[in-house]
Amino acid sequence: MEPDPVEGEGCGISRHEGVGGVAGSSPPLTGLPASQRRAEIRRRKLLMNSEERINRIMGFHRPKADDDSHSETKLQLEQDKPICLPAPVSKRVVLGDTVCSLSGTADHTSSLADHKGEKIDLFSKTHEVGSDGSSELRQRNRGELFDVPQRPPRHGLDQYLSRFDEAMKLRNQLMNEKPSQENGNAVEEFDSFHIFRLVGCALLAIGVRVFVCKYLSIFAPFLTLQLAYMGLSKYFPKNEKKTKTTVLTAALLLSGIPAEVISRSMDTYSKMGDVFTDLCVYFFTFIFCHELLVFFGSEVP
Amino acid sequence: MTELRVEPKHMTTDGGAWLLVLSSVFLCNLLKILLPSCSSIISRFLQKDAEQESEMRSEIQNMKQELSTISMMDEFARYARLERKINKMTDKLKTHVKTRTAQLAKIKWVINIVFYILQAALMISLIWKYYSEPVTVLPSKWLAPLERLVAFPTGVAGGVGITCWLVVCNKVVAILLHPFS
């Protein structure tokens, strides 16, 4: 790409910003009056900023092979270096530096400072990746940095967009759920199967206290009952149990964990909660019965 | 003789401990449900300006009605005077309402804080009291293999510890009071 004459004048556009794809496609501004030129420069700057931001969000750095020699050498270095880079060292690796070790030295810092302009994208990106803690994303980033010439960045964009769609769906679901949760919370929590479970546990506790528990642990019948409930749950009408969308689920989804895995783990979590509730009711009823029997037993001569 | 005298007393405290904890938890949960209405009642007692506020409202209403009867073209001076009066009164009412709302929020906040402090104090004192003493005792083989977990922190074989009992009571009371909350 030919360097733009306006950019050459130093009108506030940094070199880094000038490497955006937007500037490359626009016509030269030599024939325009000063005010229009200024407006055009501002427009380009804004567009480039947005592109840069998109790159940062998507988590990859679009290489500018034509005029950015720094990024080119940097990528070259990265392509040359992967063998000496240990797998868990993600931050330094992605920074694209010549240093392979984790220990931060003064030289390293100075080299970073020298190329700060060029590395700002990568640095912010690694920061984001590091903060969300997703190993998959980290791998993806690293992979993309290494495979930039082979793999088009479109894949990352698609992946990001699909995740973004999922997150938006989740958000909409959450927005729709909020009023209904306020109104129909009781219905949600106390469906027929839930009530059946609680009543069953209470009855079993009474039965165990009166008849069984003399030779057995009280938890053995409870476990049997839970097994029975597992089998019986098929025969109860399953009301559409809405998945509770929390910030945690949204975060997990955005960090690349499949929605199916999240929903399954949430399902397991809710089942564990149900079992714990049953256990509490069972134990409470048992103790209550026991104390009543002891009380009346002590009263009766 | 002293041993004989102490033993029944010990038995009675043991017998009542589970009920004491249960009733405390029940009361706390019940109060938590009733807290909004309680705080509104208390704030009504503490704020006696509500009548004055309603008087101001009715006065403004009356003045507005009067204003609607006056023709602006014919009696402009009177109209303007009344309008100014209404505006002044409305401003006064607004300030009053603002002050009252802030006061109400403060009262509710204080009541909530006091309630939670009292609840925490009650729970801590219960835990303190029954730290080494089980709330009730069962034959240890009944609770196998979880007897240690159930007895925590007392360490008494077959005993039901305060922590376990508090958790169980909280859960059961929450289930019982759920329809009313």
Side-chain angles (χ1 to χ4, degrees):
Chain A
M1 189 187 84
E2 284 293 314
D4 199 276
V6 181
E7 284 175 20
E9 286 170 20
C11 299
I13 303 175
S14 68
R15 199 174 183 290
H16 174 64
E17 286 163 338
V19 298
V22 184
S25 59
S26 58
L29 307 171
T30 43
L32 297 170
S35 61
Q36 279 186 5
R37 263 169 55 185
R38 271 202 299 278
E40 184 60 26
I41 288 162
R42 207 175 301 129
R43 191 183 68 84
R44 283 186 193 183
K45 192 177 176 183
L46 282 170
L47 286 170
M48 278 182 278
N49 278 343
S50 62
E51 195 200 351
E52 190 185 310
R53 225 175 295 139
I54 268 277
N55 280 346
R56 224 178 280 173
I57 292 164
M58 289 190 306
F60 65 84
H61 180 73
R62 196 188 293 270
K64 292 289 155 282
D66 15 359
D67 67 339
D68 196 350
S69 59
H70 274 276
S71 64
E72 202 176 84
T73 48
K74 183 175 64 192
L75 282 168
Q76 189 59 44
L77 277 170
E78 282 167 4
Q79 283 167 356
D80 293 340
K81 286 284 168 184
I83 304 154
C84 71
L85 298 170
V89 185
S90 60
K91 287 205 173 187
R92 295 287 182 196
V93 171
V94 184
L95 276 172
D97 238 64
T98 51
V99 184
C100 299
S101 67
L102 259 175
S103 58
T105 58
D107 293 340
H108 182 84
T109 322
S110 64
S111 73
L112 265 179
D114 290 339
H115 300 283
K116 200 181 174 186
E118 288 81 21
K119 281 171 188 160
I120 192 156
D121 254 357
L122 289 169
F123 193 85
S124 57
K125 177 188 66 192
T126 47
H127 176 72
E128 281 165 20
V129 170
S131 62
D132 79 3
S134 157
S135 60
E136 195 211 320
L137 262 183
R138 209 178 293 146
Q139 279 179 347
R140 185 170 63 87
N141 277 328
R142 203 185 303 154
E144 273 178 13
L145 277 171
F146 293 148
D147 304 341
V148 162
Q150 293 92 26
R151 198 168 60 174
R154 194 75 199 159
H155 175 70
L157 177 65
D158 288 343
Q159 204 175 354
Y160 174 75
L161 286 175
S162 65
R163 277 184 200 163
F164 188 74
D165 282 345
E166 279 181 58
M168 289 305 286
K169 273 179 204 165
L170 212 67
R171 186 174 164 274
N172 289 336
Q173 197 184 336
L174 191 67
M175 297 285 274
N176 293 334
E177 263 179 33
K178 266 186 181 172
S180 65
Q181 270 182 355
E182 280 165 10
N183 300 329
N185 212 1
V187 181
E188 194 195 337
E189 281 202 16
F190 290 104
D191 55 339
S192 58
F193 186 55
H194 203 87
I195 293 165
F196 174 71
R197 282 178 79 118
L198 294 177
V199 171
C201 284
L203 288 176
L204 181 78
I206 294 166
V208 166
R209 176 61 194 93
V210 174
F211 302 111
V212 188
C213 74
K214 279 164 190 141
Y215 311 103
L216 256 175
S217 163
I218 62 165
F219 299 112
F222 175 76
L223 285 175
T224 318
L225 184 74
Q226 288 303 314
L227 284 173
Y229 282 153
M230 276 181 196
L232 282 174
S233 62
K234 292 172 198 166
Y235 303 107
F236 277 86
K238 272 189 181 176
N239 56 339
E240 286 294 313
K241 210 175 188 180
K242 284 173 188 170
T243 48
K244 280 181 185 172
T245 40
T246 56
V247 181
L248 177 71
T249 49
L252 287 171
L253 199 64
L254 282 172
S255 62
I257 297 165
E260 198 190 340
V261 176
I262 296 169
S263 68
R264 271 190 193 179
S265 55
M266 285 294 159
D267 197 33
T268 315
Y269 183 71
S270 70
K271 271 179 187 164
M272 279 168 69
D274 285 348
V275 171
F276 179 71
T277 311
D278 288 354
L279 181 63
C280 284
V281 170
Y282 175 78
F283 193 70
F284 178 82
T285 319
F286 183 85
I287 298 281
F288 196 78
C289 283
H290 174 74
E291 289 298 328
L292 281 182
L293 283 175
V294 166
F295 181 73
F296 286 115
S298 65
E299 291 292 309
V300 176
Chain B
M1 275 299 284
T2 47
E3 271 181 20
L4 280 173
R5 221 175 280 161
V6 166
E7 219 168 82
K9 197 182 174 187
H10 182 70
M11 284 291 282
T12 48
T13 47
D14 263 357
W18 68 276
L19 199 60
L20 179 70
V21 176
L22 175 63
S23 48
S24 311
V25 170
F26 183 78
L27 271 177
C28 282
N29 277 278
L30 195 69
L31 275 176
K32 203 186 277 179
I33 292 167
L34 298 174
L35 203 62
S37 44
C38 279
S39 56
S40 62
I41 290 166
I42 292 167
S43 59
R44 210 176 291 165
F45 273 115
L46 290 173
Q47 289 182 327
K48 287 160 186 171
D49 305 337
E51 285 176 16
Q52 195 188 341
E53 201 180 292
S54 60
E55 273 174 26
M56 279 164 81
R57 274 180 208 278
S58 61
E59 210 172 319
I60 288 168
Q61 206 66 35
N62 290 339
M63 281 195 287
K64 274 185 180 170
Q65 275 178 359
E66 197 184 331
L67 193 74
S68 62
T69 56
I70 300 167
S71 162
M72 196 168 77
M73 308 283 268
D74 301 335
E75 298 172 281
F76 180 72
R78 201 182 151 206
Y79 186 90
R81 215 180 301 134
L82 196 60
E83 202 175 40
R84 274 203 297 277
K85 209 174 167 186
I86 288 170
N87 287 344
K88 201 178 167 186
M89 190 72 92
T90 313
D91 285 347
K92 204 176 163 186
L93 183 70
K94 269 183 191 171
T95 347
H96 200 269
V97 166
K98 213 180 269 180
T99 321
R100 203 172 64 89
T101 316
Q103 206 181 353
L104 191 75
K106 208 182 276 180
I107 289 168
K108 280 187 177 176
W109 186 77
V110 167
I111 288 167
N112 275 333
I113 292 289
V114 167
F115 169 73
Y116 283 115
I117 287 171
L118 284 176
Q119 191 185 7
L122 180 66
M123 291 301 148
I124 288 167
S125 60
L126 280 174
I127 291 169
W128 190 274
K129 189 172 172 7
Y130 296 106
Y131 189 78
S132 54
E133 189 185 334
V135 287
T136 184
V137 182
L138 302 171
S140 65
K141 67 174 181 184
W142 288 7
L143 300 175
L146 301 175
E147 65 260 45
R148 277 175 184 273
L149 190 74
V150 173
F152 181 81
T154 59
V156 178
V160 179
I162 180 75
T163 44
C164 171
W165 188 238
L166 271 177
V167 169
V168 167
C169 287
N170 263 310
K171 198 77 188 171
V172 171
V173 169
I175 290 167
L176 287 177
L177 292 179
H178 191 269
F180 307 105
S181 64

